[in-house]
Amino acid sequence: MTGLAEAVLAVVRADRSGTVLVSREPITGLQIADGHPIGKWHGAPRNKELWQRLLLMQSKWPHRTVFPEGESYFDVEYRHGGETVDGLGAAHLMDGLGVSLLVDACWSEHQLTLEREQLVENDDREWDESETSEVSVRHMAEKDHFEAHRAWIKDGVEAVRRGGLNAVRRGEELWEGRASLFPHLRFLPRVEADLRQLREAWVRPLAIRLAELDQTVAAWNPATEPDGPQWRSKITPEGQNRKKLCVFEDFDGRSRYFDTHARFTPGPGRVYFRVVAEPKTLHVAHVGLKIGI
């Protein structure tokens, strides 16, 4: 417990304004082990200062309160070793850092592989089906683990100070900075409203997906890859019955299909676009909920 407390407080020193401690229950009720409540640890004089500083950090509990208002992520579940790990799942969803008490060797790594099961829309758009994948989450159980994440924490602090993609927190910032953030993407004028109204919880995953699309197009050579870019995540066309919903007026005034889309959340978040070979770019027509729902 002392090692975990020292690790958590090392993160606070590195990013004082950006760190909170979120748990399933208030830390005052934690059981370090069977028959060993946390009171036995913080009652020792040598742990008094560590304990007081941990209490000051826990402004949010349970872990689901870390999600932005209106988001529950009920359609996704995370497991480790076959056991459900909601807290580590929350850390992954919010691009954070999961913490565990080192009461088992399985928590001795600074990076953990989790099994994620989520409901995704069937390609025929008729029902949801379960999709399982492996994901990696940052993890810390002792002070040595902090060193493995020091650079990531520092980069985040610097990004907020400098601005840029990692500092974006609102959809309107994506719109206003689109030319510099995503030089290989062009957004139809109608997308401005999509981005300004974007749910807070969707800003970060959307920014990551747009950056990925931008990098993919930048690496694309239309002369040698005439079928299009080599996508780095799941990209699918709309079904024939729904394609008619994806007609938008392009920059030249002509109506075209923008029926290719990428997902940016475990649920219904979509980016609809069309690929343009010359000059190589993606024209983005819609961001947000799946069209038609």
Side-chain angles (χ1 to χ4, degrees):
M1 182 64 206
T2 299
L4 177 60
E6 290 174 343
V8 170
L9 294 174
V11 176
V12 176
R13 287 191 292 271
D15 184 20
R16 183 173 301 276
S17 63
T19 301
V20 293
L21 180 62
V22 189
S23 63
R24 185 169 57 187
E25 58 187 79
I27 59 173
T28 53
L30 287 180
Q31 292 281 330
I32 297 178
D34 288 342
H36 198 106
I38 199 169
K40 291 187 177 182
W41 173 78
H42 69 68
R46 65 180 179 276
N47 297 324
K48 183 177 180 180
E49 183 179 355
L50 287 173
W51 174 243
Q52 290 174 337
R53 295 174 68 186
L54 283 181
L55 285 176
L56 290 174
M57 285 186 62
Q58 193 173 45
S59 61
K60 292 185 178 182
W61 67 272
H63 58 265
R64 288 195 176 274
T65 63
V66 77
F67 297 149
E69 184 177 355
E71 291 293 340
S72 64
Y73 295 104
F74 65 88
D75 53 355
V76 59
E77 180 179 88
Y78 290 83
R79 293 183 291 270
H80 182 270
E83 298 291 331
T84 300
V85 284
D86 290 335
L88 293 175
H92 182 263
L93 286 166
M94 300 307 295
D95 193 30
L97 174 62
V99 298
S100 306
L101 271 172
L102 190 52
V103 294
D104 189 282
C106 69
W107 309 124
S108 63
E109 302 295 331
H110 69 270
Q111 205 86 14
L112 295 177
T113 298
L114 307 181
E115 181 184 71
R116 180 175 68 181
E117 183 175 2
Q118 63 188 62
L119 291 177
V120 296
E121 194 176 60
N122 176 271
D123 284 340
D124 295 329
R125 283 53 174 180
E126 294 179 354
W127 63 80
D128 288 340
E129 58 187 12
S130 178
E131 182 177 271
T132 301
S133 60
E134 287 190 346
V135 298
S136 181
V137 64
R138 303 177 193 91
H139 179 255
M140 192 170 63
E142 55 185 343
K143 194 171 183 179
D144 287 349
H145 291 166
F146 164 75
E147 296 300 327
H149 303 298
R150 182 192 291 271
W152 169 71
I153 296 168
K154 181 180 178 181
D155 288 347
V157 172
E158 285 297 306
V160 171
R161 185 182 65 81
R162 295 192 310 267
L165 188 61
N166 287 333
V168 170
R169 295 294 181 268
R170 301 189 307 277
E172 63 192 57
E173 296 175 72
L174 293 175
W175 173 258
E176 293 166 358
R178 64 194 184 283
S180 59
L181 295 173
F182 316 111
H184 297 91
L185 308 182
R186 293 189 68 193
F187 298 82
L188 298 188
R190 67 166 312 281
V191 179
E192 178 178 2
D194 292 343
L195 291 176
R196 291 189 183 278
Q197 298 167 14
L198 193 69
R199 301 179 188 180
E200 179 188 347
W202 284 10
V203 173
R204 182 63 182 160
L206 173 61
I208 292 172
R209 183 64 70 239
L210 291 175
E212 176 195 280
L213 292 172
D214 186 80
Q215 294 162 9
T216 301
V217 175
W220 175 39
N221 184 343
T224 59
E225 299 171 307
D227 293 333
Q230 299 297 305
W231 306 115
R232 305 178 187 182
S233 58
K234 187 174 183 179
I235 304 294
T236 53
E238 280 290 355
Q240 196 61 38
N241 292 336
R242 289 180 45 81
K243 189 173 180 179
K244 61 181 181 294
L245 300 174
C246 305
V247 177
F248 297 93
E249 183 179 307
D250 210 343
F251 291 103
D252 60 2
R254 296 179 59 185
S255 293
R256 293 190 171 91
Y257 289 110
F258 290 77
D259 59 311
T260 303
H261 68 265
R263 293 170 170 82
F264 63 86
T265 71
R270 301 285 191 274
V271 181
Y272 287 82
F273 59 88
R274 76 179 191 91
V275 179
V276 180
E278 184 57 44
K280 63 177 186 177
T281 186
L282 300 185
H283 288 188
V284 179
H286 174 82
V287 170
L289 289 171
K290 181 185 71 171
I291 292 175
I293 66 170

